[in-house]
Amino acid sequence: MSNIESKDPSLADGFNIIYNKEVPLDIKLETEEGPKDIASFESINVKVLSDAVNEKVDPTRVKVELSWESDLLFHYTSIVDEETFVEMKKKQNLNIGFKEYTNLIEKICENCINLPDVYIGTFTIQKDDGVSQLQFVKSSDFKNLELLMLEFKKSSDEIIQKDMLYRFTYLKSKLEYDKKVIKIAGEVIRDCNPDIFDPILI
């Protein structure tokens, strides 16, 4: 499986995966009348990557990819470098440095998974394929506190096709791997307990 995972197209351009989980998000579509609800608490795959080779090296670029098993054409990408992060920090009043950026995303996503009634992520899609937004807020009885807002662009057709092919290959390989594990486990059980497989007892 590690051999298959190494062919993940997300790893192109020197990126390494540091977080990869399904996170419950609300999906909205921006319209002339305002945001329109598409789905609530959908399991969206959030993949966070950086170009740092290890934990001792600070990243120069951070990439976040969003994908959705219910819609294989749903694929959005956000890439932030140190310069664009400075603008984000000023605009959103963030009190962290760029090297803590990935940790912040990971922490918020985990909170959305474990405390979905308090931490809410909303992805708003721009109808004209413009800049879409992923907004994380912390809900309370008094007001919603915005924690982080990320800007995304719809991935190119080439990236979407590569991602679809990779996911198909990965799932196919995982199925074959699971079949082998089950077969080996069955052989071990049969060798240890031959009476269970005695045709006379069936």
Side-chain angles (χ1 to χ4, degrees), residues 148-200:
L148 184 65
M149 194 276 289
L150 307 180
E151 294 186 342
F152 286 80
K153 289 185 178 181
K154 188 172 179 58
S155 304
S156 66
D157 292 341
E158 181 182 2
I159 290 177
I160 293 175
Q161 290 174 2
K162 288 182 177 179
D163 182 72
M164 290 171 60
L165 178 60
Y166 167 73
R167 282 194 278 174
F168 173 78
T169 304
Y170 178 84
L171 291 175
K172 183 179 179 181
S173 299
K174 190 175 186 302
L175 179 60
E176 293 298 324
Y177 175 80
D178 291 341
K179 286 181 179 179
K180 291 180 181 179
V181 171
I182 293 173
K183 181 180 179 181
I184 293 173
E187 292 174 350
V188 171
I189 294 173
R190 183 182 59 195
D191 292 341
C192 296
N193 303 275
D195 291 342
I196 295 179
F197 294 86
D198 191 334
I200 298 177

Side-chain angles (χ1 to χ4, degrees), residues 8-165:
D8 186 344
S10 301
L11 303 177
D13 299 325
F15 282 101
N16 299 290
I17 299 174
I18 57 178
Y19 184 82
N20 187 16
K21 281 189 179 182
E22 288 190 340
V23 180
L25 299 179
D26 290 341
I27 309 298
K28 298 179 181 293
L29 176 65
E30 188 65 50
T31 66
E32 294 180 356
E33 293 78 22
K36 178 182 179 182
D37 293 333
I38 296 179
S40 297
F41 292 100
E42 279 293 334
S43 296
I44 304 299
N45 186 254
V46 179
K47 187 183 294 185
V48 182
L49 309 95
S50 81
D51 62 355
V53 294
N54 55 55
E55 296 180 354
K56 297 181 180 180
V57 179
D58 293 340
T60 61
R61 292 176 301 157
V62 171
K63 178 168 66 171
V64 181
E65 292 183 347
L66 303 180
S67 58
W68 189 8
E69 289 299 327
S70 298
D71 183 356
L72 295 179
L73 297 179
F74 181 100
H75 197 284
Y76 291 82
T77 303
S78 170
I79 298 181
V80 174
D81 57 20
E82 294 182 82
E83 183 177 348
T84 52
F85 178 78
V86 171
E87 298 177 4
M88 280 182 58
K89 184 175 180 179
K90 291 180 180 179
K91 189 175 181 179
Q92 301 184 40
N93 295 319
L94 301 177
N95 59 358
I96 60 169
F98 185 54
K99 64 180 181 180
E100 289 87 34
Y101 177 51
T102 56
N103 292 333
L104 176 62
I105 299 173
E106 181 177 348
K107 181 179 179 181
I108 293 176
C109 286
E110 286 297 305
N111 285 335
C112 288
I113 294 172
N114 298 317
L115 299 168
D117 294 332
V118 179
Y119 294 88
I120 303 169
T122 302
F123 186 67
T124 305
I125 303 171
Q126 295 296 325
K127 195 173 182 180
D128 58 356
D129 289 341
V131 178
S132 300
Q133 296 180 339
L134 174 57
Q135 182 185 46
F136 292 105
V137 299
K138 182 179 181 181
S139 178
S140 68
D141 295 333
F142 304 101
K143 65 176 182 179
N144 290 335
L145 175 64
E146 182 174 307
L147 302 175
L148 184 65
M149 194 276 289
L150 307 180
E151 294 186 342
F152 286 80
K153 289 185 178 181
K154 188 172 179 58
S155 304
S156 66
D157 292 341
E158 181 182 2
I159 290 177
I160 293 175
Q161 290 174 2
K162 288 182 177 179
D163 182 72
M164 290 171 60
L165 178 60

